Amino acid sequence: MRHDQRENNELRSITMTPGYIKHPEGSVLIEFGDTKVICNASIEDRVPPFMRGKGKGWITAEYAMLPRATEQRNIRESSKGKVSGRTMEIQRLVGRALRSVVDLNQIGERTVWVDCDVLQADGGTRTASITGAFVAVVLAFDKLLQKGTLKKMPVTDFMAAISVGISSDGTALLDLDYKEDSEAAVDMNIVMTGAGEFIEIQGTGEEATFTGNQLQTMLGLAGQGMRELNSIQKSHLGNLAARIGETKQTKEDSP
Amino acid sequence: MRHDQRENNELRSITMTPGYIKHPEGSVLIEFGDTKVICNASIEDRVPPFMRGKGKGWITAEYAMLPRATEQRNIRESSKGKVSGRTMEIQRLVGRALRSVVDLNQIGERTVWVDCDVLQADGGTRTASITGAFVAVVLAFDKLLQKGTLKKMPVTDFMAAISVGISSDGTALLDLDYKEDSEAAVDMNIVMTGAGEFIEIQGTGEEATFTGNQLQTMLGLAGQGMRELNSIQKSHLGNLAARIGETKQTKEDSP
Amino acid sequence: MRHDQRENNELRSITMTPGYIKHPEGSVLIEFGDTKVICNASIEDRVPPFMRGKGKGWITAEYAMLPRATEQRNIRESSKGKVSGRTMEIQRLVGRALRSVVDLNQIGERTVWVDCDVLQADGGTRTASITGAFVAVVLAFDKLLQKGTLKKMPVTDFMAAISVGISSDGTALLDLDYKEDSEAAVDMNIVMTGAGEFIEIQGTGEEATFTGNQLQTMLGLAGQGMRELNSIQKSHLGNLAARIGETKQTKEDSP
Amino acid sequence: MRHDQRENNELRSITMTPGYIKHPEGSVLIEFGDTKVICNASIEDRVPPFMRGKGKGWITAEYAMLPRATEQRNIRESSKGKVSGRTMEIQRLVGRALRSVVDLNQIGERTVWVDCDVLQADGGTRTASITGAFVAVVLAFDKLLQKGTLKKMPVTDFMAAISVGISSDGTALLDLDYKEDSEAAVDMNIVMTGAGEFIEIQGTGEEATFTGNQLQTMLGLAGQGMRELNSIQKSHLGNLAARIGETKQTKEDSP
Amino acid sequence: MRHDQRENNELRSITMTPGYIKHPEGSVLIEFGDTKVICNASIEDRVPPFMRGKGKGWITAEYAMLPRATEQRNIRESSKGKVSGRTMEIQRLVGRALRSVVDLNQIGERTVWVDCDVLQADGGTRTASITGAFVAVVLAFDKLLQKGTLKKMPVTDFMAAISVGISSDGTALLDLDYKEDSEAAVDMNIVMTGAGEFIEIQGTGEEATFTGNQLQTMLGLAGQGMRELNSIQKSHLGNLAARIGETKQTKEDSP
Amino acid sequence: MRHDQRENNELRSITMTPGYIKHPEGSVLIEFGDTKVICNASIEDRVPPFMRGKGKGWITAEYAMLPRATEQRNIRESSKGKVSGRTMEIQRLVGRALRSVVDLNQIGERTVWVDCDVLQADGGTRTASITGAFVAVVLAFDKLLQKGTLKKMPVTDFMAAISVGISSDGTALLDLDYKEDSEAAVDMNIVMTGAGEFIEIQGTGEEATFTGNQLQTMLGLAGQGMRELNSIQKSHLGNLAARIGETKQTKEDSP
């Protein structure tokens, strides 16, 4: 049994607080156990230079941790004057994941800025960020629907992310916390749609490797966790949940 | 009457949630009305280079706002690669205020890092930061007392900060919210001790000036607000409140 | 008596050399005792982005010290690649002070760049900068008056700055030099108009505090020093002095 | 058939030129079709601060493209003053991949710096970098073996990387060139050991998703490509090839 | 005799590989002995801001070394976040040299970006860069001639660069390699036209000085080397060589 | 005749004010006509990392212009966050020139920091900087002689710098002011010793070239100007002038 009494295929307690911050068009405080992330979605009425004049929109994400979100205090990236490689990887991942379930042609020349700020970290901050950001983005689009700026919800399907891994004794685990993650041989983050297709798979076994069988086991665990996350998202979106998918994704040349 | 039905000499609703984040030695979520700031105090067992070998400690503060703490989204300072002048002014102010009520000789060669992160801004973020940071620092020192690292609470007196101002129609106001602040002719931030002495006065009348009489009125309002803030701080510190002042400040050459 | 034989309420020797540098529209070398600052005002025929299209102007200030303006050589901020918090505070203060006595509506979409470069520092560099910058700005506007670009002097009143403080033995002092400043318990910088109103008050007692009575004493000293500074400014402005105040400030929304 | 007449499961022409640059301890020019990358491995006799005193070594990688490696000229990252997110992701990936097949305990407190510089880009620069870097690192360790600094080759297994993808018409492809990659619906990079285990899987379907079946097909193609790449690596390592694996990886706490 | 058996007035083996990289409009790999530099010329259809609206073009150069181009690995300038003084000097020199033999009025509002990337360094990287860049630029202009964008070759004369120096025993040497350069008392780089006039002379004797006679001897050696370099350039330009000089330079105000 | 009535071989009025700033070990205000530069030399009791443990010293220079030293205001390099290529070239040149006449072995592990700050620019700022810096450095060493830290003046010879050029009508000119410099076809800066040997020659003919004869004429003018500059330096050094040369330079490996 795991150190916090969970089953190997059991998620931590997942909570979401929509509307947590008052200014953003969409805002959610998401908690995966002790991991707490504020996900804010802001709508800007213009797109970055590389997207101008195409009549379509863009979604971009930024990610940061408060200096004392972690056991040891981290130096603030604004003080260092640059963003770390880890931060860049995560914010690129969050942005890609969101763009894969939004029809950018529907939203006009607008940018959705998604800010994921980790208040407290205990493993899984990137999967919590993606899962919460999805809800924040739906809430932000709802504002545009209510104002009549958009006619249809531009989100094509549900989407969430979860971590899976192989512990040092070879056990496959779902939703690793910090202690499990730091001891794991293999760490994998998976982003999937509500329909069960893959958006992103990132698995790494630094100083370890993993077999094809282990990969299949982890993919199975992830699929199961994903269905639970989608269900929690649905419960917080109420009537809005029914509007997910009213637009179908059209494959576009990405910039 | 003010737009939110307050009297001119009335504070907004002030709340504090000690222990809000689990990792820091001291942590408080402070709210001045809709302004919400997390104040975390971290103890590091060394001092910055300019303080080494003096046998005494240091307190330094950092301040930041989440990008969507404000009505309009702000660009993240880590993305810009530099910290704004406004941020620097505030974090220097918070650090000075805290150092003025801590006997740095008592804490040995340690640094207290204070992080004030604004989740939601509605005016008065710097005064909320100082007022909350005081409590976070006391909680952090309590950890060192409990471990026996310190023998006496090194905090010499209570300390808090409040804003006062003159509205465009000439009325003196206590604890301005964002709407009031953006319309005010004069804006002043005052930091005081529990004993009612001044630590810092910063008043500015951009595109306006103020008379000596107006100054006296604002100082009076500030003193009144300060007593209420000290009393709220006391109520959250419980038994610890009695230990404030067991050390008397000894004037030292500052670095 | 003070270490340089001054009375407590006595300014250092103050000199101004208008026209010190030939290129700027307005230029003054100002000396407060051994503190020497070049204040240059440059007129640019456009405003920064946040002011465009409003039909009014802007004044901004930059401040720097030569590396060996001080007893110990300082690293050049261009080498460090960033501007210190202290520099930012001072340049923001100088800009605000100047804007408070200029009717920005009168000057059209122009920016006045004020550069305060400290050649030699001996305390009071920010007050010397503000006091000299006032004269440089008046001289620069005179160029625009002579060319017929402006019809009226847009400066609404005289303005100067002075430091006051409380020494470690409790004496209130006017215009502290470096030695006095580094030993003082309280340090306060005050910016006032020719009419005797306050523009800015910044008082700080790091590792010390000050009482209401001490504050009143310092404000009194400052008012006295201010009158002398205004008189020296007048003597260097000749006929131009009479044009100060021909425009009255209209309160505007600041950006 | 593919635009360059390759079968779907066919690699481009792969060439390696060991000893291409004379100064580095290990150097290889690797070509995947028109993609040309110089991989240089340098040995430094110390480790970064976070590894000091542990008696083990470290491997780190840097990646860059010449400005005109691409169809359109890119701005040099040294001119921009910062490294892009894409570059950071790639260099972190290359470093992790190499560390997974080297027993860092064997190499003492040394750092292996691996520089992958893309002279000409036509898709697959990261997989070419990893595959070439492996050979450069083995050559560098051979220098240490020859000098007697090391007793055993610290490389535990062969390692290479290849890209697979799903074209817009749903076909699974091996080793995509730039044209194929820019039109693909799904893009996946896979790093594997000589023994056929996974080190890293990174698959992404921006504005598209992929099914479990498509994933299996891609994994199959990758395994096939990998065996060919290992065989080419072997042919260039000569006698050194036999020494790969004489050390077995011991699982260590990663930093 | 020199350590590599050359005569004092003898160049190292000089080779050029035109078309080395496929994407740029002009590309040359140039080798001066073991010094290898890729010179790429890219045409951009606009000019930098300070040249806009003048109806003429601009040529700018960038220079970099691969980290392990040298005996000891150098930190990448993109990692340091800034370009060294040495790099800036060299790229400014390369740009000036090229502009001196191109009639910028002929090329319209276009920028020629010249990238000199040193793969392997053994002394003389700046002279190899200039000499190779000349050929790359002629090849790039040939593309514009072939497309009919230009009617005449805008290059007014041949141009090349060579180093000369005085060894520690007082001998004047042509084309110093790294070993000779690091031991030399005087180091001089000379850029000349095909007609034998000077474009640039940069001689320096750090911790040494040189007499007028030594200067004359070095100038003589340089003139001789230059004729050989022009002849090698000619041999690689084929028919294009005859078009050099069909435009005569018209003296223009430089920006 | 020249626009300011000078003969072609005539220097502008040259003045020096030793001791201009009180804090530095050596300080000179130098004026070449309207060009005004403060040259401050500071002694630091340690050397940069690359010189440690060699028992010898180092001299390094920094150069900057006040923003309004020029006709048009320049953006401050500290605001841009980086130093321009032009600034780097000049400060490297000043440092090399000074090191060539100082026996670094004599001064122990000390660094001489030379700061050249241009208050007003009218051409020739780099030659004025070098010529003034020489005097500032001699004054700084005199402080060490007076304290007994040094026994002998470590300066081996006089040293100064001057500009020469060819005007657009082909006339060779000495000591060009800004107007002449901006119209010149060729611009050359020459640094020489008191003994008449060359330390540095930098000649450039952007969009122009120059013949060997023109070079000889310019070298002749430079030699003449140099003798006058040395004589002015001597007159300001008084008794110290006699101590120049009491140490002879010993050729050392430069770092």
Side-chain angles (χ1 to χ4, degrees), chain C residues 234-250:
Chain C
K234 243 172 236 172
S235 72
H236 283 96
L237 286 173
N239 294 340
L240 277 173
R243 303 198 64 172
I244 307 294
E246 68 188 30
T247 302
K248 295 298 166 206
Q249 181 73 302
T250 31

Side-chain angles (χ1 to χ4, degrees), chain E residues 56 58 83-86 88-89 92 96 99-100 104 183-185 188 193 197-212 215-216 219 249-255, chain F residues 56 58 83-86 88-89 92 96 99-100 104 184-185 188 193 196-212 215-216 219 249-255:
Chain E
K56 57 188 290 199
W58 188 243
V83 171
S84 74
R86 178 184 176 275
M88 284 210 191
E89 270 184 31
R92 284 158 58 91
R96 279 199 309 271
R99 289 192 299 272
S100 73
L104 299 173
E183 296 166 358
M188 182 169 277
T193 62
E197 300 210 334
F198 294 104
I199 291 169
E200 190 99 21
I201 296 180
Q202 294 193 340
T204 185
E206 189 170 322
E207 303 196 23
T209 57
F210 52 104
T211 64
L215 173 60
Q216 302 311 326
L219 296 177
Q249 181 73 303
T250 30
K251 175 77 182 92
E252 288 294 314
D253 295 329
S254 62
Chain F
K56 58 188 288 201
W58 189 243
V83 171
S84 73
R86 177 185 175 276
M88 284 211 191
E89 270 184 32
R92 284 157 58 90
R96 280 199 308 272
R99 290 192 297 272
S100 73
L104 300 173
M188 183 169 276
T193 62
E197 300 210 334
F198 294 105
I199 291 169
E200 190 99 20
I201 297 180
Q202 293 194 341
T204 185
E206 188 171 322
E207 302 194 27
T209 56
F210 52 103
T211 63
L215 173 61
Q216 302 312 327
L219 296 178
Q249 181 73 300
T250 31
K251 176 81 181 92
E252 288 295 313
D253 293 329
S254 63

Side-chain angles (χ1 to χ4, degrees), chain C residues 3-252:
Chain C
H3 77 99
D4 60 354
Q5 271 68 50
R6 280 190 287 153
E7 301 293 328
N8 294 341
N9 66 352
E10 188 181 345
L11 294 176
R12 288 177 284 179
S13 160
I14 311 286
T15 68
M16 298 191 195
T17 311
Y20 185 69
I21 298 296
K22 71 174 183 176
H23 299 303
E25 283 70 31
S27 174
V28 174
L29 171 68
I30 187 165
E31 297 169 75
F32 274 35
D34 274 351
T35 290
K36 301 183 187 193
V37 185
I38 295 180
C39 302
N40 288 334
S42 304
I43 307 283
E44 187 186 25
D45 283 336
R46 58 176 187 172
V47 286
F50 67 88
M51 289 295 289
R52 282 186 199 143
K54 301 186 180 176
K56 57 188 287 198
W58 189 244
I59 302 178
T60 190
E62 292 192 352
Y63 167 97
M65 293 204 294
L66 296 202
R68 200 57 196 282
T70 48
E71 186 56 37
Q72 300 298 316
R73 186 181 183 274
N74 291 297
I75 299 174
R76 225 169 256 275
E77 295 190 332
S78 57
S79 300
K80 284 189 288 190
K82 62 179 177 181
V83 171
S84 74
R86 178 185 176 275
T87 293
M88 285 211 191
E89 271 184 31
I90 296 175
Q91 53 198 22
R92 283 159 58 90
L93 171 62
V94 177
R96 279 199 309 271
L98 292 166
R99 290 193 298 273
S100 73
V101 289
V102 174
D103 184 352
L104 299 174
N105 293 296
Q106 297 284 337
I107 63 175
E109 295 217 346
R110 287 184 182 82
T111 299
V112 185
W113 288 87
V114 176
D115 291 293
C116 299
D117 285 272
V118 180
L119 303 186
Q120 190 169 280
D122 188 31
T125 64
R126 81 186 70 189
T127 51
S129 293
I130 291 170
T131 305
F134 175 81
V135 176
V137 166
V138 172
L139 293 174
F141 284 138
D142 185 40
K143 288 271 168 57
L144 297 185
L145 288 167
Q146 287 176 27
K147 288 199 299 180
T149 310
L150 295 185
K151 298 294 173 227
K152 287 198 295 185
M153 172 61 72
V155 178
T156 60
D157 196 355
F158 276 85
M159 184 271 288
I162 197 66
S163 73
V164 286
I166 306 287
S167 72
S168 56
D169 66 2
T171 316
L173 300 174
L174 178 67
D175 187 22
L176 291 73
D177 66 14
Y178 178 72
K179 181 172 160 45
E180 291 171 330
D181 186 65
S182 58
E183 296 165 357
V186 179
D187 180 28
M188 182 169 277
N189 291 287
I190 291 176
V191 188
M192 291 177 79
T193 61
E197 300 210 334
F198 294 104
I199 291 168
E200 189 100 22
I201 297 180
Q202 293 194 341
T204 184
E206 188 171 321
E207 301 194 26
T209 57
F210 52 105
T211 64
N213 284 343
Q214 287 177 315
L215 173 61
Q216 302 311 328
T217 307
M218 289 189 284
L219 295 177
L221 279 180
Q224 180 183 336
M226 207 65 62
R227 284 186 292 277
E228 294 180 45
L229 291 173
N230 289 165
S231 151
I232 295 167
Q233 289 174 325
K234 243 172 236 172
S235 72
H236 283 96
L237 286 173
N239 294 340
L240 277 173
R243 303 198 64 172
I244 307 294
E246 68 188 30
T247 302
K248 295 298 166 206
Q249 181 73 302
T250 31
K251 174 81 182 90
E252 287 295 313

